Amino acid sequence: MTKATLIRTAALAALLVTSGLLAAAPTLAAEPPIPQRGTAISVTGDAATQFIPLGVGKSVVIDLPRDAKDVLVADPKIANAVVRTSRRAYLIGVALGQTNVFFFDAEGRQIAGFDIAVTRDLQGMRTALKRLLPDSDIKVDGMADGVMISGSVGSPSESQQAYDLAVRLAGDVTKVVNAISVRGRDQVMLKVTVAEVQRDVIKQLGIDLSGALTRGTTVLDFNNANPFPVLGQALVNSNTVTGTWNAVSATLRAMERAGIIRTLAEPNLTAISGETANFLAGGEFPIPAGFTCDPTTRNCQTQIQFKKFGVGLNFTPVVLSEGRISLKVLTEVSELSNENALTLVQSISSSQTTTLTIPSIKTRRAETTVEIPSGGALAMAGMIQEQTKQQINGMPGLMNVPVLGQLFKSRDYINRQSELVVIVTPYIVRAVAQKDLSKPDDGFADASDMSSSLLGRLNRLYGTPGATNPQQTYRGNYGFILD
């Protein structure tokens, strides 16, 4: 049996269809596993049709159930059939495209039919994806000169890695279709701790002199008031000592103040891996943003904008492999302050004015991208700051006189120390039953009128009955560790 007698061209196929000798192909069966080089496919039923994907330059071995007399290749430019024996043939992919091959016996009956799709060789891509993501279930299928990757992975990052590898091996991003689904998107809860301690020491000392010195017809009036410019004002104006001597009034202002401020904010927020979540516990205050005037009536109105302040958190988590989490975090703690406040005076009429005070905002903000394992903590930001201001004011010449010069000068001194730490702790979490969650008002009960009036109690119960309150004391060193 020679090759010339076994292979017919597409022209012969058209002749057979015209004469009615070629029967209609049956319905395509389910797709078989992708054959490898040298793998034999056995056909057990008559007139069976199978789908065979082939790579360019790759081949597959066909074993027939009975002797074949004739073979038909629809387009030899796409695929070719080489018959070795009456029951074994080789199908070889020649060029990208689709075609079909039919085998007939000596009586002209169809033995088998194959729909062949010749695509680029994808075995190297399958091996590389399996090596990169061994725990994933990714399938690679050829589509003409393109590639479609499908299946399922454990996280969006694995899907992106598979897509990037397929694009790199395919050589063109337009030839890769990503149909990978994520089995389950992890949820991440982020706990942020913003802790700050501030210590202020203020010292003020000064003497205000006022009076008049008269000699003959010459009168010398003087008034020396201490401005205390570092703080901006005297600590307590009423806590003074005043004395008068020969029409000269002296007021002693001496005050020292030490204070401490502790700020602790712990916002918690949960988001799906790859999504952005926002949190704000605070408020908004109005500020003027300009004027809008009516050209007809010439009436102007002040435009108001609202500025947010409080405890804010914005983060985007991405769950990586091995339980690691990549976080893009923006956290902020802000509060209203009278320092650097802006005062606007607006004239209503010729004899009436209005004053508008716009407070400033004291802000502690940190924004960065970090990578932390689930349950691990990382100091995202930290700062130690110490600021000292001191100023001496007095009358020129007289303030430099030994001993008596203290009567003609004032001293204003401020020392501020602060330490700030921002700690982030992410957790991979899942939903639980409502009974397993606690609320701030669990176990709370209002006090009765009698108990509130006579004993001054605000609540009757607070906390879970029978629960103990452990002593939450910290043992060990605190502060910063410098290498």
Side-chain angles (χ1 to χ4, degrees), residues 1 31 86 193 219 283 343-344 347:
M1 184 185 296
E31 295 183 14
S86 60
T193 300
V219 180
T343 302
L344 301 178
S347 178

Side-chain angles (χ1 to χ4, degrees), residues 306-364:
F306 289 88
K307 180 67 176 179
K308 297 181 180 179
F309 69 95
V311 179
L313 175 61
N314 183 314
F315 85 109
T316 303
V318 177
V319 179
L320 306 177
S321 59
E322 300 179 359
R324 300 191 65 84
I325 303 172
S326 175
L327 294 174
K328 184 177 181 181
V329 186
L330 170 61
T331 181
E332 177 180 317
V333 177
S334 58
E335 58 184 342
L336 299 180
S337 175
N338 291 327
E339 297 181 5
N340 302 321
L342 179 62
T343 302
L344 301 178
V345 179
Q346 184 178 3
S347 178
I348 300 178
S349 62
S350 59
S351 61
Q352 190 177 7
T353 59
T354 180
T355 302
L356 176 63
T357 301
I358 303 175
S360 62
I361 298 181
K362 186 177 181 182
T363 305
R364 281 81 75 196

Side-chain angles (χ1 to χ4, degrees), residues 121-422:
D121 184 17
L122 304 176
Q123 190 59 34
M125 185 179 297
R126 296 188 185 98
T127 304
L129 289 173
K130 190 63 177 178
R131 185 180 304 147
L132 177 64
L133 303 171
D135 298 331
S136 61
D137 183 17
I138 300 178
K139 299 179 181 179
V140 181
D141 298 317
M143 301 175 59
D145 60 342
V147 178
M148 182 180 70
I149 54 177
S150 60
S152 61
V153 293
S155 64
S157 62
E158 293 183 355
S159 175
Q160 186 63 35
Q161 291 178 13
Y163 177 73
D164 294 341
L165 179 60
V167 170
R168 184 67 179 269
L169 297 179
D172 190 354
V173 67
T174 61
K175 296 183 179 181
V176 179
V177 178
N178 187 3
I180 297 178
S181 61
V182 180
R183 287 191 291 267
R185 303 184 67 180
D186 295 318
Q187 298 184 106
V188 178
M189 183 189 74
L190 181 64
K191 177 181 179 182
V192 179
T193 300
V194 181
E196 182 182 20
V197 176
Q198 299 180 15
R199 178 178 179 268
D200 295 342
V201 176
I202 302 175
K203 297 180 182 180
Q204 292 181 344
L205 176 61
I207 298 178
D208 296 343
L209 298 176
S210 63
L213 297 178
T214 303
R215 186 174 181 83
T217 59
T218 302
V219 180
L220 176 62
D221 295 329
F222 60 91
N223 186 3
N224 179 26
N226 296 300
F228 298 112
V230 174
L231 184 61
Q233 61 181 0
L235 287 177
V236 181
N237 293 327
S238 60
N239 190 12
T240 58
V241 179
T242 304
T244 303
W245 176 76
N246 290 337
V248 177
S249 176
T251 302
L252 174 64
R253 301 181 185 274
M255 184 60 64
E256 180 175 347
R257 184 178 72 183
I260 187 171
I261 300 176
R262 174 178 177 265
T263 302
L264 177 63
E266 292 185 338
N268 296 341
L269 191 60
T270 303
I272 297 177
S273 175
E275 301 295 335
T276 301
N278 298 276
F279 172 86
L280 176 63
E284 298 181 352
F285 69 96
I287 58 174
F291 299 93
T292 301
C293 299
D294 188 351
T296 304
T297 61
R298 296 184 179 180
N299 292 329
C300 296
Q301 295 181 351
T302 303
Q303 299 295 319
I304 300 298
Q305 290 184 353
F306 289 88
K307 180 67 176 179
K308 297 181 180 179
F309 69 95
V311 179
L313 175 61
N314 183 314
F315 85 109
T316 303
V318 177
V319 179
L320 306 177
S321 59
E322 300 179 359
R324 300 191 65 84
I325 303 172
S326 175
L327 294 174
K328 184 177 181 181
V329 186
L330 170 61
T331 181
E332 177 180 317
V333 177
S334 58
E335 58 184 342
L336 299 180
S337 175
N338 291 327
E339 297 181 5
N340 302 321
L342 179 62
T343 302
L344 301 178
V345 179
Q346 184 178 3
S347 178
I348 300 178
S349 62
S350 59
S351 61
Q352 190 177 7
T353 59
T354 180
T355 302
L356 176 63
T357 301
I358 303 175
S360 62
I361 298 181
K362 186 177 181 182
T363 305
R364 281 81 75 196
R365 181 186 297 115
E367 181 178 6
T368 184
T369 302
V370 295
E371 184 176 327
I372 319 175
S374 177
L378 180 66
M380 187 179 71
M383 180 186 68
I384 295 179
Q385 183 179 10
E386 182 174 0
Q387 186 181 55
T388 302
K389 295 181 180 180
Q390 184 172 208
Q391 189 169 356
I392 297 178
N393 299 274
M395 298 181 65
L398 296 178
M399 63 180 292
N400 297 325
V401 177
V403 182
L404 295 179
Q406 297 295 330
L407 301 175
F408 303 96
K409 66 181 179 181
S410 65
R411 175 174 179 259
D412 196 4
Y413 171 83
I414 296 179
N415 179 261
R416 291 177 176 173
Q417 298 174 344
S418 64
E419 182 175 358
L420 172 67
V421 176
V422 179

